[in-house]
Amino acid sequence: MDQYKPLQTNPTGVPVLAFNTFAPSHLLHETAHSRVRIGTELLETLSAKTDSQNLHHLVTAALVSLRDGLDMMGEIQRRLDAQAEQPV
């Protein structure tokens, strides 16, 4: 397994942004939670009146944040699955 996993939100074909898959699970969870919270808060602002340019910026920011959070949560799930497969 590679130590650094590229985030799906990289805007180019050569990944620049990645996260450390060897980081402790609690730190991955904390970071993923933060990204999902930020994305959710951005989407909640859509209930306010926004012009089309602001709407585009808010949706893009929310999408990137939520996708990053999901990438990290996928690593946490992989670890939990591996733990469940280990004999007790």
Side-chain angles (χ1 to χ4, degrees):
M1 160 154 253
D2 294 332
Q3 181 174 357
Y4 296 99
K5 182 175 182 178
L7 294 170
Q8 293 182 41
T9 55
N10 279 294
T12 64
V14 178
V16 176
L17 299 174
F19 68 95
N20 185 353
T21 62
F22 294 176
S25 294
H26 73 282
L27 295 178
L28 283 173
H29 181 268
E30 182 180 335
T31 304
H33 180 266
S34 172
R35 298 287 198 206
V36 171
R37 181 182 45 76
I38 290 167
T40 301
E41 289 171 354
L42 283 168
L43 290 173
E44 287 172 350
T45 64
L46 295 177
S47 63
K49 291 183 180 179
T50 58
D51 62 38
S52 62
Q53 183 180 5
N54 285 337
L55 178 63
H56 174 69
H57 291 302
L58 289 169
V59 170
T60 300
L63 174 63
V64 168
S65 183
L66 291 169
R67 177 61 63 199
D68 289 355
L70 287 173
D71 286 347
M72 287 176 246
M73 290 173 72
E75 174 60 22
I76 294 168
Q77 186 64 52
R78 186 197 64 75
R79 290 180 186 187
L80 291 171
D81 292 345
Q83 287 176 358
E85 292 175 3
Q86 292 178 356
V88 185

